[in-house]
Amino acid sequence: MKRYFVANWKMYVGSPKEAAAILKATTGAMRGKKDVETVICPPALFLTELKKGYRGPVVFGVQDVFAESKGPWTGGQSAGMASLIGAEYAIVGHSERRALGDTDVVVEKKLKHVLAEGMRAILCIGERERDRGGDYFGFIEQELTSALRTVSKKDIKKLIIAYEPIFAIGKSADEALTPAGVEEMVIFIRKTLAGLFGHEHVKGVPILYGGAVEPANAGSLAGAHGLAGFLVGHASVRPNDITEIIRAL
Ligand code: PGA
């Protein structure tokens, strides 16, 4: 199974110079780990500068897109535009975008738009909190079903699912899910996908975990059965953490 390290830089990186230094550290961290697909999603404004002359193994993505291709959308950036400047991946439905107003309908549209542009989509799903009754399973199922409503079987190979429980995002390793907890969700997500598209079509869909992945828990989480890698936020801009997390994969 191919492994993924997806770096979601959010707005942690404030200048092209800082961005270049983290790219360099990430490239260095990949020495001897060429089998890991490493995707950096920087602030889109820095992408062109970062890619200029870059010959290393890192590939690039964007943290969000607007759902339309062109038109009167102040501040919008389409998947096509992102692709033109070298983004191969796009994160869709991150909880921080959902909190700013991306409804399930918007997420569905964005996902469709990204896939139509031929990019790979990293669809984020995750519950806000855990209730004792286990309602969060229903919530995850609904988030998946809604986002994937119009995705064709042909496009599934461009899909990556990132399971990110919101209560763990931005926290420290001790608040992340345990490897057993991650395994349980990977099984549930794969089962839900199989129910939607059929097992044969979804068995290759990578499922990542995100939410407080740090050097302290990367090793144990990487062993979670069926998990293909990580979507990493705050630790993805810290050179030492990057190295340790990529080594763990
Ligand atoms: P975190 O963020 O690693 O800082 O918890 C993960 C994410 O939001 O993608």
Side-chain angles (χ1 to χ4, degrees):
M1 182 172 49
K2 190 166 181 176
R3 303 293 228 158
Y4 291 83
F5 174 84
V6 182
N8 177 9
W9 285 4
K10 307 191 181 186
M11 270 178 57
Y12 288 129
V13 177
S15 70
K17 197 170 158 211
E18 204 186 326
I22 304 168
L23 172 60
K24 194 168 168 211
T26 309
T27 304
M30 289 179 70
R31 226 167 278 134
K33 286 296 253 180
K34 294 286 184 311
D35 50 329
V36 176
E37 172 92 340
T38 296
V39 185
I40 287 182
C41 302
L45 292 171
F46 297 156
L47 190 52
T48 303
E49 185 75 19
L50 270 182
K51 283 217 52 155
K52 207 181 283 168
Y54 182 71
R55 303 253 180 280
V58 172
V59 294
F60 297 89
V62 285
Q63 299 170 15
D64 187 36
V65 292
F66 194 69
E68 305 285 341
S69 300
K70 241 180 161 188
W73 314 104
T74 303
Q77 291 158 5
S78 70
M81 294 169 189
S83 167
L84 273 176
I85 61 165
E88 295 172 47
Y89 289 76
I91 297 174
V92 174
H94 191 280
S95 58
E96 285 155 12
R97 300 305 315 179
R98 292 184 193 255
L100 290 171
D102 279 15
T103 60
D104 281 349
V105 174
V106 171
V107 172
E108 180 205 335
K109 273 185 86 175
K110 287 187 173 182
L111 186 69
K112 199 172 167 189
H113 175 60
V114 165
L115 295 171
E117 287 296 337
M119 296 172 80
R120 291 198 73 182
I122 303 167
L123 171 66
C124 297
I125 51 168
E127 74 279 19
R128 183 162 301 283
E129 58 195 4
R130 292 227 153 169
D131 54 290
R132 282 176 197 219
D135 278 354
Y136 58 93
F137 284 110
F139 179 81
I140 296 294
E141 185 175 4
Q142 183 271 330
E143 269 195 332
L144 271 174
T145 308
S146 154
L148 299 173
R149 207 171 55 88
T150 53
V151 172
S152 68
K153 284 192 173 137
K154 178 175 83 40
D155 276 342
I156 292 171
K157 54 180 180 307
K158 290 186 281 185
L159 184 69
I160 295 176
I161 306 290
Y163 169 64
E164 301 204 299
I166 298 171
F167 56 82
I169 291 178
K171 302 284 172 42
S172 60
D174 54 346
E175 289 175 75
L177 228 57
T178 61
V182 169
E183 273 179 20
E184 180 184 47
M185 294 314 291
V186 168
I187 293 169
F188 180 75
I189 290 164
R190 189 144 341 261
K191 204 173 127 220
T192 305
L193 291 174
L196 293 171
F197 298 102
H199 177 69
E200 274 311 298
H201 290 96
V202 302
K203 61 177 198 271
V205 174
I207 301 175
L208 316 182
Y209 170 77
V213 176
E214 294 185 333
N217 58 1
S220 60
L221 287 172
H225 188 69
L227 191 74
F230 301 129
L231 175 52
V232 184
H234 63 274
S236 75
V237 296
R238 299 178 182 161
N240 291 340
D241 290 9
I242 298 165
T243 306
E244 290 195 44
I245 295 170
I246 291 180
R247 293 265 148 86
L249 281 165

